[in-house]
Amino acid sequence: MTFLSIIVPFDRPVRYLKDCLDSLSEQVMENTEVILIINGNEEDISNLLKGYDDKLNLILKQFDERIGVGKARNEGLNLATGKYVYFIDSDDYLYSNALEKLIEVAHKTDADFINAERANTAFIKDRVEEARIIKRQSQLLKKDETDLEYCIKFLVDTKTTRLEVLSSLHSLMKRDIVGDLRFEEDNCHFADYNFILTIFERSTSFIGVEDAVYLKRLRDDPINSPSLNQEEVGNRFLMYADAYYNVIDRLDYLIEESDNPTDLEKYTLLRERVTIKFLRFYFKKFARKFLLSEDEEWRGENFEVMKDISKDFNTENYNRYKRREIQTLQSGDKSKLKKFIQLRSHKKHFKKILLQRWRFKALIYRKLYNKKPTVPKKLLFESFYGKYYSDSPKYIYEYLYKNHKDEFEFVWVLNKKGIKIPGNPKTVKRFSMAYYKHLAQSEYVIFNTRHPKRIIKKEDQIYVCTWHGTPLKRLGFDQANLYLDNPRSKHAYRKDSSEWDYMISPNPYTTDILRSAFAYEGEIIESGYPRNDILYNASSEDVLRIRETLKLPKDKKIILYAPTWRDDEYYDTASVKFNLQLDLNRLKEEFQDDYIVLLRLHYFIADNIDLSGCEDFAFNVSDYEDIAELYLISDIMITDYSSVFFDFANLRRPILFYTYDLEKYENVLRGFYIDINTEVPGPLLKNNDEVVEAISNIDAIEKEYNERYDEFYDRFCNIEDGNASQRIYNRLWK
Ligand code: C2G
């Protein structure tokens, strides 16, 4: 006999479904069936499903049109044969053993309703453990909580600011109790309400299971594949309010009719929880919209509804300002309420300004500097957040300085002092007062990363984003999951790119990617990379000068090791870890007579690599301003997934790929735009033995990869000829 029916309504995208089915397969369960309702999917998923057929005892029902989550779950219920049913959405997944634990409790207690904890997570599955620890710290079952309280807590999760009030997810419920009850089919946002409330009403025994976490995925791309909650719905508030009234009316009725203390407790607790959720929603979301909306009609209509609902609010635990705000709302004084909300928002803002100096500077910038006129032909340059004098901004600047210095006024954003720059332009530290002042005055802002959230573009300013590399690894909108980021980051990508007037592209391949990765619609100047001009224009004296500046031995050939960073290895978002896997001692033993190694870490890396024992052989050049100058003096490049090889290839010198973690980088962290196995101009090396072998046979490797290198060069380096900066000048200023 089937004990448990797991009902999974499947809606796009397929990659989330795989995580969900994987997490179900990892649970050890007997006598279970998984009912998958395919809700109008266009992709063929039969191959994907084959792997799960037996393991999950899969029952399939396919609908060609999108039928909505309510109807899909109902179809599942019609097919279910288990003693218990459990709903999981196809974009969510479970912490290991979650279902096993619920089932064990069900066997032991025979309870009607068994609910478990839920955590919201934007992370992909490998990070479940961490996501769980982070979230559980705030959600752990309180010692004195009863099972009923626990169940209600996760039935009405007041932690989130979204207004989904009653959720049918993460609970086991008896199929007998469900009986012929079904979800509402025409209200996709509130399909759960009536259903779960009735289940709750019909249940008499409740158990809360502390350690069976349901992981609700916060979708990482709310623009292209939003979840129901992320979809823009014009007037969702009135829909919420309507659902709220239904729940409250029903609960009031049940409270009044209760003829035993258990029922009374259960309905009173639930009612309390539902109103707390709405009150939080008022403070976190509604008040702000009420203050800022330009739609008077919206304000009027919704105010009346909120006023009515607020009669239920219990503000005991709030401070006196918030209590007075709610009293004003209850009294119906619209203009006074606006003043209260404004005061609250000013107080919050003011506190932040006092605590964080940068906010004060940003305020002066917005209110004072940014109100003054822009200076025509004043140019502000920035490379890698002010960390280096380098990359395309440097070469555009040097071209302009050399050929057109009288036409422009120049400012450079540089965080350190003492860097020699031709023409000695004004330099400012990023986010200093001077930075804001010059930024506000500059007609053109030329930078190579995304720009800071806190700066506000004036109408007559022009932003030129050069970006910083031909992409191998997937970027922005093309990334399946943003490892370090949350769903907001894609909105941020789109906002940033909508403010750029020009992007610079080194080749047609990158042009296409800039469009998709940033959802960028502005002009792209396909000029080649200004940062590669030097690779065509440098003289042998330049090469000597660079070697001398670095004080490198004169008679040795140079291997440049320039790896990228890993999205999952970091101390915090601003400083990334790096674990050196290249055995420098071994390389020293093998090659010290002929070579030296330059170690160049990515600009995000915070670790200082210890090179003791390898002095005179390995040199850390991570602080050297401009990697293009390092390319010029290097004979061989070793990299991994960094964009550096696209630039180095302009020199037509050998490239080795030390890809010791390829599987993880490709399948878990990022994914690539091209096939790294067949399209890059050098061999992929898995370990130090292979690296040593490759360096020893570098001439043979050059020969072996000659043809592939030619194709690569034609595709990615074809436009480069040392005149990219000039082409940009011609397009922007000539
Ligand atoms: N870089 C460097 N040293 C390294 C790695 C990178 O100086 N060891 C510089 C190079 O100019 C490189 C740029 O930083 O082209 C970007 O580095 P990537 O390793 O490609 O990584 P990321 O910063 O994530 O940018 O389109 C490019 C992508 O956006 C990748």
Side-chain angles (χ1 to χ4, degrees):
M1 194 195 134
T2 310
F3 187 73
L4 176 64
S5 305
I6 302 165
I7 298 174
V8 191
F10 165 58
D11 199 353
R12 307 146 306 153
V14 174
R15 63 195 152 95
Y16 292 160
L17 175 67
K18 187 173 180 321
D19 279 350
C20 174
L21 296 179
D22 279 345
S23 88
L24 289 176
S25 330
E26 283 160 15
Q27 317 275 326
V28 182
M29 303 178 291
E30 275 173 17
N31 303 329
T32 47
E33 59 189 14
V34 174
I35 304 173
L36 181 67
I37 308 296
I38 300 176
N39 186 0
N41 176 52
E42 280 144 27
E43 282 177 65
D44 179 14
I45 55 169
S46 47
N47 268 345
L48 172 80
L49 295 183
K50 263 184 210 145
Y52 301 99
D53 253 357
D54 292 344
K55 253 191 276 172
L56 293 180
N57 209 359
L58 212 53
I59 300 170
L60 268 188
K61 181 139 188 185
Q62 166 112 28
F63 288 87
D64 291 336
E65 75 286 14
R66 285 183 86 187
I67 55 172
V69 64
K71 185 165 163 58
R73 285 188 189 145
N74 289 342
E75 292 292 337
L77 281 172
N78 296 343
L79 296 170
T81 61
K83 178 178 175 188
Y84 282 90
V85 291
Y86 182 83
F87 298 99
I88 174 168
D89 287 346
S90 64
D91 52 356
D92 298 339
Y93 46 94
L94 299 173
Y95 184 65
S96 47
N97 307 333
L99 263 176
E100 289 164 57
K101 283 188 183 126
L102 290 177
I103 292 168
E104 195 188 322
V105 171
H107 276 302
K108 268 196 206 141
T109 63
D110 200 44
D112 295 338
F113 190 88
I114 305 171
N115 200 2
E117 196 170 342
R118 125 200 204 146
N120 291 332
T121 171
F123 298 120
I124 56 174
K125 236 175 123 257
D126 281 35
R127 295 288 298 283
V128 163
E129 181 67 41
E130 218 167 304
R132 175 170 173 265
I133 293 164
I134 296 165
K135 295 294 168 187
R136 274 173 59 77
Q137 282 163 354
S138 60
Q139 293 196 328
L140 263 184
L141 178 63
K142 284 206 195 98
K143 288 273 172 293
D144 54 356
E145 226 162 28
T146 64
D147 276 323
L148 179 64
E149 280 168 329
Y150 182 90
C151 285
I152 291 175
K153 181 157 115 185
F154 290 105
L155 206 59
V156 187
D157 176 5
T158 46
K159 290 270 173 216
T160 65
T161 46
R162 285 170 312 193
L163 248 190
E164 54 186 25
V165 179
L166 294 162
S167 168
S168 59
L169 302 172
H170 42 84
S171 320
L172 284 195
M173 51 197 100
K174 279 201 182 135
R175 192 166 56 91
D176 274 359
I177 286 189
V178 177
D180 56 5
L181 179 68
R182 292 295 178 267
F183 288 85
E184 276 180 49
E185 296 194 352
D186 43 10
N187 185 346
C188 61
H189 290 278
F190 304 101
D192 288 27
Y193 276 40
N194 194 45
F195 180 87
I196 199 68
L197 194 55
T198 310
I199 297 289
F200 197 69
E201 221 178 293
R202 291 179 184 175
S203 302
T204 52
S205 46
F206 298 87
I207 299 281
V209 182
E210 192 189 332
D211 209 12
V213 188
Y214 180 102
L215 290 152
K216 181 111 200 90
R217 186 195 297 264
L218 296 174
R219 291 206 186 176
D220 66 344
D221 187 351
I223 295 172
N224 292 316
S225 57
S227 62
L228 280 176
N229 272 302
Q230 290 169 334
E231 261 170 35
E232 280 299 326
V233 177
N235 213 342
R236 204 189 276 169
F237 174 70
L238 291 181
M239 289 159 67
Y240 284 144
D242 187 41
Y244 173 83
Y245 279 126
N246 285 337
V247 175
I248 291 291
D249 282 354
R250 175 105 167 261
L251 283 170
D252 281 343
Y253 170 79
L254 292 168
I255 289 170
E256 215 173 293
E257 294 292 303
S258 297
D259 50 13
N260 65 66
T262 320
D263 276 357
L264 187 66
E265 185 197 357
K266 137 175 137 176
Y267 300 132
T268 316
L269 268 174
L270 188 58
R271 192 186 194 287
E272 207 179 281
R273 201 82 193 164
V274 172
T275 54
I276 291 177
K277 176 104 190 166
F278 222 95
L279 178 59
R280 272 181 62 92
F281 170 79
Y282 165 80
F283 280 123
K284 294 266 168 193
K285 295 269 160 83
F286 183 90
R288 192 179 150 75
K289 178 125 200 237
F290 177 75
L291 185 67
L292 300 178
S293 176
E294 284 166 10
D295 181 350
E296 249 336 294
E297 212 174 302
W298 185 95
R299 208 193 321 273
E301 212 175 42
N302 291 289
F303 173 79
E304 287 306 323
V305 176
M306 193 44 122
K307 177 185 147 197
D308 193 54
I309 290 176
S310 71
K311 282 188 231 134
D312 279 333
F313 290 165
N314 176 354
T315 51
E316 235 171 60
N317 295 328
Y318 285 83
N319 65 30
R320 74 191 151 101
Y321 297 104
K322 282 190 170 167
R323 283 209 299 269
R324 282 181 60 194
E325 186 175 323
I326 296 297
Q327 279 161 12
T328 311
L329 168 65
Q330 288 163 340
S331 76
D333 189 338
K334 243 201 292 180
S335 54
K336 203 164 152 201
L337 180 67
K338 254 184 155 179
K339 283 190 194 125
F340 264 110
I341 302 173
Q342 215 146 26
L343 188 73
R344 184 158 57 86
S345 122
H346 284 163
K347 261 178 53 190
K348 199 166 141 192
H349 199 62
F350 189 63
K351 216 162 134 187
K352 277 188 185 159
I353 286 177
L354 281 182
L355 290 174
Q356 294 164 306
R357 250 173 70 81
W358 72 264
R359 285 185 192 273
F360 176 71
K361 291 188 210 160
L363 184 76
I364 303 279
Y365 154 70
R366 282 202 308 271
K367 301 280 177 202
L368 201 70
Y369 296 156
N370 232 19
K371 303 273 186 245
K372 301 212 168 115
T374 302
V375 178
K377 295 270 184 92
K378 177 161 179 163
L379 273 47
L380 182 103
F381 293 89
E382 180 186 284
S383 171
F384 297 118
Y385 316 99
K387 214 174 160 186
Y388 299 107
Y389 172 62
S390 70
D391 214 70
S392 294
K394 166 180 168 182
Y395 291 95
I396 297 174
Y397 165 75
E398 292 198 352
Y399 173 82
L400 296 180
Y401 176 73
K402 192 166 160 212
N403 300 291
H404 304 277
K405 63 170 165 294
D406 299 334
E407 293 172 36
F408 300 101
E409 183 186 341
F410 304 111
V411 181
W412 259 93
V413 179
L414 274 174
N415 298 338
K416 52 190 166 194
K417 289 210 156 37
I419 294 163
K420 276 206 192 118
I421 303 182
N424 257 332
K426 170 104 199 134
T427 62
V428 291
K429 198 169 161 203
R430 205 170 192 240
F431 300 140
S432 62
M433 284 317 299
Y435 162 85
Y436 283 122
K437 192 166 128 205
H438 289 285
L439 170 71
Q441 290 173 349
S442 295
E443 185 186 12
Y444 287 84
V445 184
I446 299 153
F447 47 92
N448 75 341
T449 57
R450 286 168 57 198
H451 59 278
K453 226 169 51 191
R454 67 186 83 160
I455 73 174
I456 294 172
K457 189 183 175 203
K458 293 198 287 185
E459 258 177 26
D460 56 354
Q461 282 186 311
I462 293 170
Y463 281 9
V464 182
C465 174
T466 67
W467 202 239
H468 51 265
T470 295
L472 167 69
K473 33 192 222 192
R474 290 185 168 270
L475 265 176
F477 280 98
D478 297 336
Q479 240 176 297
N481 263 294
L482 289 186
Y483 225 97
L484 285 173
D485 280 333
N486 60 36
R488 276 188 302 240
S489 64
K490 286 202 172 150
H491 280 296
Y493 261 83
R494 189 147 82 166
K495 184 194 156 284
D496 285 0
S497 70
S498 71
E499 292 183 348
W500 301 338
D501 299 280
Y502 299 96
M503 290 196 84
I504 308 298
S505 168
N507 44 50
Y509 159 88
T510 304
T511 304
D512 289 345
I513 292 175
L514 295 177
R515 292 247 176 262
S516 64
F518 295 106
Y520 176 69
E521 288 165 3
E523 179 172 340
I524 297 179
I525 307 176
E526 203 177 85
S527 52
Y529 258 149
R531 69 181 189 179
N532 290 336
D533 284 351
I534 187 180
L535 305 180
Y536 292 84
N537 299 335
S539 61
S540 47
E541 287 82 46
D542 290 328
V543 174
L544 268 180
R545 174 188 53 80
I546 298 164
R547 278 190 90 121
E548 270 163 22
T549 316
L550 282 163
K551 301 192 177 72
L552 300 175
K554 290 202 174 66
D555 52 340
K556 300 277 167 62
K557 286 193 275 186
I558 293 179
I559 301 171
L560 173 65
Y561 179 44
T564 194
W565 58 291
R566 271 107 188 114
D567 304 60
D568 64 335
E569 292 178 21
Y570 54 88
Y571 298 105
D572 57 52
T573 43
S575 49
V576 175
K577 283 184 200 171
F578 186 72
N579 204 336
L580 183 67
Q581 305 267 345
L582 189 68
D583 187 346
L584 291 174
N585 288 313
R586 169 100 190 268
L587 293 190
K588 182 179 171 185
E589 259 169 46
E590 304 273 353
F591 302 114
Q592 61 182 330
D593 292 342
D594 301 317
Y595 287 101
I596 55 171
V597 169
L598 301 185
L599 176 64
R600 166 73 176 195
L601 299 183
H602 188 273
Y603 51 92
F604 282 168
I605 308 285
D607 285 309
N608 214 343
I609 304 283
D610 179 14
L611 295 181
S612 48
C614 287
E615 295 91 350
D616 300 334
F617 174 71
F619 299 81
N620 191 344
V621 291
S622 305
D623 285 338
Y624 194 76
E625 291 302 303
D626 183 2
I627 193 171
E629 296 191 356
L630 301 177
Y631 301 151
L632 275 175
I633 59 169
S634 299
D635 299 279
I636 303 175
M637 167 179 273
I638 307 180
T639 184
D640 44 19
Y641 325 106
S642 175
S643 58
V644 293
F645 67 94
F646 288 100
D647 305 275
F648 190 74
N650 282 288
L651 296 169
R652 213 47 184 82
R653 296 175 197 162
I655 304 173
L656 306 175
F657 294 83
Y658 183 30
T659 51
Y660 52 87
D661 56 355
L662 176 63
E663 161 73 14
K664 177 165 142 203
Y665 206 99
E666 181 162 25
N667 298 324
V668 181
L669 294 183
R670 282 279 187 136
F672 302 126
Y673 285 109
I674 56 175
D675 184 349
I676 192 169
N677 291 295
T678 57
E679 294 181 84
V680 298
L684 306 188
L685 312 169
K686 291 266 152 38
N687 52 44
N688 280 291
D689 289 341
E690 292 184 11
V691 174
V692 168
E693 170 95 13
I695 298 172
S696 311
N697 298 308
I698 200 70
D699 294 342
I701 284 182
E702 270 200 274
K703 265 198 205 114
E704 188 188 336
Y705 281 85
N706 195 24
E707 210 173 298
R708 212 203 269 184
Y709 213 134
D710 282 344
E711 282 163 23
F712 184 88
Y713 187 96
D714 274 352
R715 188 168 170 206
F716 300 105
C717 311
N718 198 352
I719 301 180
E720 310 283 15
D721 58 0
N723 298 315
S725 304
Q726 185 182 6
R727 282 189 281 273
I728 289 167
Y729 169 79
N730 290 346
R731 174 64 193 96
L732 294 181
W733 296 291
K734 195 168 176 182

